[in-house]
Amino acid sequence: MRIRNLFFGVLSFLTTMSWSQSRTVATINVDAGDFDRLSTPVYASLEGLEVDFTVEKLSLFELVNGQFVPVDVQIEYGDQDLLWWMLSGKTEKQNVRRYELRADSGSSIDQGISASDDGQSVTISMAGRNIVGYQYEKAEVPEGVDKIYSRAGFIHPLWSPAGEVLTRIQPPDHYHHYGIWNPWTHTEFEGQEIDFWNLNKNQGTVKVDGKPGVVDGPVFGEIQTIHRHVVMPDSAHANSREALREDWKIRAWKSEDGGVWLIDIFSTYS
């Protein structure tokens, strides 16, 4: 089995062990490689582990000064189940950190990062402090502004660790701007140039496909959503048409001291 640092591509090896009374199911070595690391997310594949997940839970411990110290972990389920945790603090280059993975009946898990839904948007927060919000229902436009400018599917607000809002929507000189969003301007679809960005052209827009999925956990919180890039009806077509599907995943990681937010946005087009 292999462990990989998602952001830096540092490889080490996870060696499985047969089930024993000690409940140790694997040992993990994380090599910092050629760079210093600071509060870095890492993961290991759970493929091949001899664990009954219906009755057992995984716990991770780091060997520090001869003692095993517990580490928060979170499983990401998918085509390949992954165990995530934070490589806490600073890890100097060429250093190796050693972990032991155990399976036992366990206890309740501290969520750490939570995602709340108010019926219009989802907010990821840590210990009562907001990190990032995602709007999945259409935002109302200011009074007197054409409703053509109303849309959903964008990040807002994005907060600083001090609680300041860093994003903005619908500025008076650019009503079509929405926080952090991802429309395309000069595109070609069925021989036509389509602008999904400048909404006032009424050529295209981006629609959210239903309510987003959310994930809470001790290591990260996540919002999963689908955006459909839609070409508006015209003289040649009575109905709108979908030109592009975009799967969005917004993930916010638990901060050790709350002084820095680490957020990833994954975008997959088809």
Side-chain angles (χ1 to χ4, degrees), residues 1-74:
M1 300 176 67
R2 188 173 71 174
I3 175 174
R4 181 172 181 264
N5 179 320
L6 178 67
F7 304 101
F8 302 104
V10 178
L11 299 181
S12 183
F13 290 91
L14 184 153
T15 305
T16 55
M17 303 166 62
S18 60
W19 182 269
S20 66
Q21 293 294 351
S22 68
R23 296 180 179 174
T24 298
V25 294
T27 57
I28 303 172
N29 296 328
V30 181
D31 189 338
D34 296 330
F35 301 94
D36 293 338
R37 311 293 177 181
L38 183 63
S39 299
T40 304
V42 291
Y43 70 79
S45 169
L46 296 179
E47 184 179 359
L49 279 186
E50 297 180 10
V51 178
D52 183 355
F53 287 101
T54 62
V55 295
E56 301 286 342
K57 105 178 224 312
L58 293 176
S59 300
L60 188 67
F61 296 84
E62 182 178 8
L63 185 60
V64 181
N65 297 325
Q67 301 292 323
F68 281 105
V69 179
V71 177
D72 287 333
V73 293
Q74 186 169 341

Side-chain angles (χ1 to χ4, degrees), residues 185-196 203-204 229-232 234 237 239-244:
T185 308
H186 298 289
T187 68
E188 183 180 317
F189 178 70
E190 296 182 351
Q192 277 185 289
E193 182 175 303
I194 303 295
D195 187 343
F196 295 94
Q203 294 179 352
H229 298 240
V230 174
V231 178
M232 306 302 284
D234 56 23
H237 300 86
N239 300 311
S240 61
R241 292 149 294 151
E242 181 181 333
L244 197 65

Side-chain angles (χ1 to χ4, degrees), residues 39 72 74 86 110-116 122-133 159-163 215-222 251-263:
S39 299
D72 287 333
Q74 186 169 341
M86 298 296 290
D110 176 22
Q111 288 301 98
I113 300 285
S114 62
S116 60
V122 177
T123 299
I124 299 178
S125 60
M126 184 187 82
R129 297 167 61 198
N130 292 333
I131 301 173
V132 61
W159 288 270
S160 75
V215 174
D216 295 313
V219 178
F220 63 84
E222 185 172 278
R251 180 177 292 184
W253 302 90
K254 185 176 181 180
S255 171
E256 287 185 299
D257 59 6
V260 174
W261 296 146
L262 178 60
I263 302 167

Side-chain angles (χ1 to χ4, degrees), residues 5 18 21 44 52 75 77 90 134 180 191 197 217 246 260 265:
N5 179 320
S18 60
Q21 293 294 351
D52 183 355
I75 298 176
Y77 297 98
K90 183 177 181 180
Y134 169 78
I180 299 174
W197 180 291
E246 179 186 21
V260 174
I265 303 173

